Amino acid sequence: MSNAIPHTWSIAIHGGAGSMTRDTMDAAAIAAHEAGLAAALDAGRAVLAAGGSAVDAVTAAVAVLEDDPQFNSGRGAVFTYEGTNELDAAIMAGDTRAAGAVASVTQTKNPVRLARAVMEAGPHVFLSGAGAEVFARAHDVPVAQASWFATPERLRQLEELKAQPDGWFDAGMKYGTVGAVARDAAGHVAAATSTGGLTGKRWGRIGDSPLIGAGTYADDRAGAVSCTGSGEQFIRAGAAHEICARMRLIGEAPDVAARAVLDEIGAMGGVGGVIVVSSAGEIAQVFTTPGMFRGRADSSGAHEVAIF
Ligand code: ASP
């Protein structure tokens, strides 16, 4: 759904697209996820309502979701095949198109804050692995032990996956990647995305989330996008940039551009969802899975979270 009324500021968040339905989630789980989404939405909304920047708002919202073990990012990230948690994140500012991203980090408490440090303090856009952790320490980005990220439920999901005879890949779609997009009162947009990737990922696999233009993109001339879903197809579609390009070059509304790109991803065999904010402040939240954890708020007083 897109909202045609421009707002002074607006924000949308997601906590991952996936196979969840009212039949597979009980009332307590629904309430707990909605509370987690509302807390993240409030963190971002508080920044924007106080006149803060879109970059600060998406950082704040994503950091809350990273700390919430219900979502697949930071604490509660899914496990790799080898039983570790390897985290990816990206952030982008629409005014300058400055961007920062990290992949396969294992000791940084909030990967979105490290991505932001890369954007603001480094000469590079994309750092990975041990080098990214060295950069984190040099820039006072808080560290965490491996035990901070690991949760029993995610370990159970890895064991369930490994017990399937032919399934090393997360066919059950236990996603839960998180992201945020915002448009601030100054008219600038930003996007951020953070994930543990896919359960049972191997061989240093990296998905779309930290790839600028695939899972994350922001451009004041169009809007900001954060994606979730089957990352390989989102990479091949250049999804987040493609949505912004359609809005900028052929004037599509955010929901129309999002639907068109998700259709292309579907034709490649991929599923998932996207959140979009246009430079005018319109929000779209579109998904091709049964559910997507999501929320939206704006300066008119709108404030809602939803799953199905
Ligand atoms: N897109 C993410 C990845 O492929 C997964 C997700 O959105 O849940 O790493």
Side-chain angles (χ1 to χ4, degrees):
M1 290 282 292
S2 120
N3 181 342
I5 304 164
H7 300 294
T8 309
W9 58 261
S10 47
I11 182 167
I13 61 169
H14 71 79
S19 55
M20 58 279 193
T21 65
R22 287 189 192 283
D23 295 332
T24 57
M25 284 185 82
D26 63 28
I30 291 170
H33 281 82
E34 287 179 347
L37 291 166
L41 193 59
D42 286 345
R45 181 178 67 163
V47 171
L48 295 168
S53 72
V55 168
D56 281 345
V58 297
T59 305
V62 167
V64 168
L65 292 167
E66 286 179 336
D67 288 344
D68 186 331
Q70 300 180 108
F71 301 101
N72 172 21
S73 62
R75 188 169 181 222
V78 299
F79 280 84
T80 66
Y81 192 83
E82 289 76 24
T84 57
N85 303 112
E86 296 182 3
L87 314 167
D88 307 330
I91 189 165
M92 186 162 184
D95 52 353
T96 56
R97 281 184 285 160
V102 294
S104 307
V105 298
T106 57
Q107 298 162 27
T108 297
K109 179 170 175 284
N110 290 106
V112 71
R113 297 199 193 282
L114 178 52
R116 180 152 177 190
V118 172
M119 176 171 83
E120 291 177 344
H124 305 303
V125 167
F126 198 179
L127 303 181
S128 69
E133 313 280 10
V134 172
F135 183 92
R137 293 203 178 94
H139 291 85
D140 298 324
V141 179
V143 298
Q145 302 294 315
S147 57
W148 165 257
F149 304 107
T151 63
E153 172 58 14
R154 295 300 189 189
L155 192 56
R156 188 196 65 71
Q157 291 174 0
L158 175 66
E159 283 159 5
E160 184 183 282
L161 183 86
K162 285 175 128 176
Q164 292 169 15
D166 56 355
W168 68 268
F169 209 70
D170 191 4
M173 288 199 56
K174 295 184 187 65
Y175 292 147
T177 290
V178 310
V181 295
R183 188 257 198 203
D184 62 31
H188 302 306
V189 297
T193 311
S194 183
T195 189
L198 298 182
T199 305
K201 66 183 182 181
R202 300 176 82 173
W203 308 303
R205 181 264 185 194
I206 299 165
D208 60 313
S209 308
L211 286 183
I212 299 302
T216 307
Y217 202 71
D219 180 346
D220 274 5
R221 297 172 301 174
V225 179
S226 173
C227 303
T228 172
S230 38
E232 279 65 17
Q233 286 83 1
F234 279 75
I235 293 172
R236 290 163 55 202
H241 183 273
E242 184 80 358
I243 291 168
C244 286
R246 293 182 77 108
M247 292 165 62
R248 177 166 64 92
L249 298 173
I250 56 175
E252 282 184 349
D255 57 338
V256 174
R259 177 64 60 188
V261 173
L262 283 173
D263 285 349
E264 285 181 23
I265 287 167
M268 295 176 189
V271 291
V274 301
I275 55 173
V276 188
V277 67
S278 73
S279 48
E282 305 160 88
I283 285 171
Q285 298 173 302
V286 184
F287 48 102
T288 55
T289 45
M292 179 167 78
F293 298 114
R294 61 196 187 279
R296 57 189 288 170
D298 63 47
S299 52
S300 74
H303 184 278
E304 58 194 47
V305 296
I307 302 176
F308 312 107

